[in-house]
Amino acid sequence: MIGQSVFDVAIFFVPLFWPIFPLNMLVSAISAFTFPTLTTLSTELVLHREVGLLMGVTTGLGSLMNIFGPLWAGAVYDHVMVGAPYWMGAILLVLAGLMMLRPAGNL
């Protein structure tokens, strides 16, 4: 997650348009490893009979974020500045990464 946030900030500072494409490919590659890892870590924290419930909640939240994330990014883009969605994404990813550093016993 921290790596994704670094690439989001890097995209903001890119002076030309064409380097955004390789940076987006790297972010997608990191994301492809991030979410299966988070799923594995989260399923180890619940009872085996509750894994289906966890996956349903996770899928539902992911679907909601696929709807509201672009709406939020568009609003921030329109009302704050052009690069604000990248900064917002970086901030949220850093916060999520910092929450992952917390020991599991403190749930």
Side-chain angles (χ1 to χ4, degrees), residues 15-104:
L16 301 172
F17 187 69
W18 70 267
I20 292 175
F21 294 110
L23 286 172
N24 270 334
M25 287 190 297
L26 290 172
V27 169
S28 295
I30 292 172
S31 176
F33 289 109
T34 300
F35 294 107
T37 303
L38 291 177
T39 301
T40 302
L41 290 173
S42 63
T43 57
E44 292 177 356
L45 295 175
V46 298
L47 298 173
H48 290 289
R49 67 174 191 256
E50 296 176 344
V51 171
L53 179 66
L54 174 71
M55 292 295 95
V57 169
T58 303
T59 303
L61 287 173
S63 297
L64 285 174
M65 292 306 105
N66 283 335
I67 294 168
F68 292 115
L71 292 173
W72 174 256
V76 171
Y77 179 91
D78 286 341
H79 298 292
V80 179
M81 70 175 184
V82 173
Y86 294 109
W87 284 103
M88 291 297 298
I91 290 168
L92 290 174
L93 286 166
V94 166
L95 290 175
L98 291 174
M99 288 192 313
M100 292 294 296
L101 293 175
R102 194 175 63 170

